[in-house]
Amino acid sequence: MPPTDSTSPLRQRRADAQANRAKILTAAAELYTTRGLDVSLNEIARRAAVGIATLQRNFAGREELVAAVFTPRVRAYADAVDRALEEPDPWVGFCGCIEHVAALQCEDQGLAVVLNTTFPTSAELEAHRRRAMRGFTRLVRRAKEAGALRPDFSPHDLPLLLLANAGVVMGSGSNADRASRRLIAFVLRACAVTDDKPLPAGPPARSLLRTLDPPLPPTSRHRRHRPGPVAFGRDDPRPPAGDV
């Protein structure tokens, strides 16, 4: 009896390929969440119980894999900004947005870094990032118009806040949540309108945004990841022919 469509070798191979891709994404998400992005592709392949060649057939490199894992999370970040815009009180919306994003960074070490990194090759992820920035700009404008947010706060200060909180998250270990909440409380109090003297001038907006650009790859595959922009390079050699 000839094989039916549901049992054909081609259909089975496609099902196996889909299952392998799902296993890779699950393994990468688990490792990135708990350890940040300084995890080799070889280690992800081992966690997924697939060969490195299988991983590389699904994802051309580290940046593509990271983007696939974190695009839904950056979408959730942008959605949170949109929800903050629905808050009737502009100051409550502004504070709630900052607190929520900081909490997201605490819950996910990988996201703490991704929010400080650009992904030029991932149009979808960058579209969500731009949506979040547009929403945050509106939050800032509403809070200023309400007389609650200091007038010299700029939407382009957001990368500074994210970089600062990422540093706290990556450096505080098991105390990351409490340390982050205290940092954000200080930040929000500083953002409120007061009679204090103006803030010192910050770097140009373009310079702040360039802090999100990925630098050259690190020279050592075992180098400990530092807070801030992440490097995307091939830290795993090409597999020998025949690796599956």
Side-chain angles (χ1 to χ4, degrees):
M1 179 178 178
T4 65
D5 181 62
S6 62
T7 61
S8 68
L10 177 59
R11 187 181 181 91
Q12 184 60 48
R13 285 196 298 272
R14 287 174 177 170
D16 290 344
Q18 291 174 351
N20 284 337
R21 181 180 177 86
K23 288 193 294 184
I24 293 166
L25 286 171
T26 298
E30 292 171 352
L31 290 169
Y32 289 154
T33 296
T34 57
R35 292 173 45 188
L37 302 189
D38 193 15
V39 180
S40 74
L41 297 182
N42 278 316
E43 187 169 358
I44 293 169
R46 286 194 297 271
R47 172 69 71 90
V50 301
I52 186 64
T54 298
L55 185 152
Q56 290 175 329
R57 278 196 297 273
N58 282 274
F59 302 97
R62 181 190 298 271
E63 182 172 352
E64 185 176 321
L65 176 57
V66 170
V69 170
F70 286 99
T71 292
R73 303 182 192 189
V74 177
R75 182 192 303 117
Y77 156 57
D79 290 344
V81 177
D82 288 342
R83 287 194 298 273
L85 284 166
E86 298 173 359
E87 168 59 49
D89 186 321
W91 178 244
V92 172
F94 175 84
C95 292
C97 178
I98 297 293
E99 290 168 344
H100 182 74
V101 175
L104 289 177
Q105 288 184 301
C106 280
E107 294 166 2
D108 188 332
Q109 290 195 28
L111 184 63
V113 178
V114 167
L115 291 182
N116 300 323
T117 310
T118 55
F119 292 80
T121 61
S122 177
E124 184 180 1
L125 188 150
E126 288 303 308
H128 292 309
R129 186 197 301 282
R130 289 192 297 271
R131 175 163 65 92
M133 191 61 187
R134 288 194 300 269
F136 186 73
T137 299
R138 291 175 59 197
L139 275 176
V140 168
R141 184 171 62 249
R142 290 176 69 235
K144 287 183 178 180
E145 291 172 350
L149 178 62
R150 58 185 307 143
D152 51 359
F153 183 91
S154 167
H156 295 291
D157 288 328
L158 181 60
L160 288 179
L161 302 185
L162 296 180
L163 285 166
N165 193 58
V168 167
V169 170
M170 301 298 286
S172 299
S174 60
N175 292 314
D177 180 64
R178 294 176 64 184
S180 172
R181 283 190 283 111
R182 187 168 177 84
L183 170 69
I184 296 304
F186 278 128
V187 167
L188 292 177
R189 281 163 176 73
C191 288
V193 168
T194 67
D195 294 327
D196 294 342
K197 61 184 179 180
L199 295 172
R206 288 186 178 181
S207 297
L208 278 174
L209 294 177
R210 277 200 296 270
T211 66
L212 305 184
D213 291 336
L216 294 174
T219 56
S220 171
R221 64 182 296 182
H222 297 296
R223 182 176 176 182
R224 180 180 176 84
H225 179 75
R226 295 179 180 180
V230 63
F232 292 104
R234 183 175 296 283
D235 66 344
D236 297 283
R238 285 287 183 182
D243 185 5
V244 294

